[in-house]
């Protein structure tokens, strides 16, 4: 599914993301809520104002889950299984939102890693996030 080059690019990008999971995850959620305000419906329990502590904390959780998948690209289904269950059976989040958030994460990475986020890295990470979104959506069927 992933070439050795793609795996190396994903690992390299994630290595740079890992120290900033809460900050960059929060930024990705802020972008999601600003560009796609309908996604706020799933966060009624949370302060969705830009810069809120709630957004940063949840963004950190999202990014750490993505990090667990990045750390085991060959076995992402297992790494994301409990998260997939939670979203499909308990939270019932519209699966389209996983794709929307993926795009927001790509923008944040491009902003923070301008020299490292080459077109090749962008393509590999986009493919990776598409896989994450597909895995999280799988149990909806």
């Amino acid at each position: 599914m992933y070439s050795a080059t793609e795996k190396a690019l994903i690992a390299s990008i994630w290595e740079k993301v890992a120290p900033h999971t809460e900050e960059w995850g929060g930024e990705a959620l802020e972008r999601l809520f600003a560009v796609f305000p309908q996604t706020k419906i799933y966060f009624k329990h949370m302060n969705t104002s830009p810069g809120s502590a709630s957004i940063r904390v949840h963004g950190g959780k999202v990014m750490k889950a993505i990090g667990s998948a990045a750390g085991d690209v060959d076995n992402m289904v297992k790494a994301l299984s409990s998260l997939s269950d939670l979203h499909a059976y308990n939270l019932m989040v519209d699966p389209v939102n996983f794709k929307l958030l993926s795009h927001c994460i790509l923008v944040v990475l491009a902003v923070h890693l301008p020299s490292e986020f080459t077109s090749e890295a962008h393509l590999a990470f986009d493919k990776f996030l598409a896989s994450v979104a597909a895995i999280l959506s799988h149990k909806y069927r």
Side-chain angles (χ1 to χ4, degrees), residues 14-89:
W14 189 257
E15 184 178 306
K16 292 164 181 61
V17 173
H20 308 282
T21 54
E22 194 169 286
E23 176 190 353
W24 295 359
E27 285 181 35
L29 283 178
E30 285 180 11
R31 284 182 180 280
L32 179 72
F33 297 151
V35 179
F36 306 103
Q38 70 274 17
T39 60
K40 289 183 183 181
I41 195 167
Y42 300 102
F43 297 91
K44 291 179 181 177
H45 63 286
M46 178 186 302
N47 177 0
T48 57
S49 304
S52 78
S54 299
I55 288 179
R56 285 180 62 101
V57 168
H58 191 71
K61 289 178 185 178
V62 168
M63 294 300 269
K64 286 176 186 162
I66 291 170
S68 70
D72 196 3
V73 173
D74 292 324
N75 199 12
M76 288 191 295
V77 172
K78 183 178 179 187
L80 296 171
S81 181
S82 63
L83 197 57
S84 179
D85 288 344
L86 175 67
H87 283 84
Y89 304 131

Side-chain angles (χ1 to χ4, degrees), residues 6 117-128:
E6 289 171 329
F117 207 61
T118 63
S119 57
E120 294 83 8
H122 183 152
L123 185 61
F125 219 81
D126 185 35
K127 180 178 177 180
F128 164 70

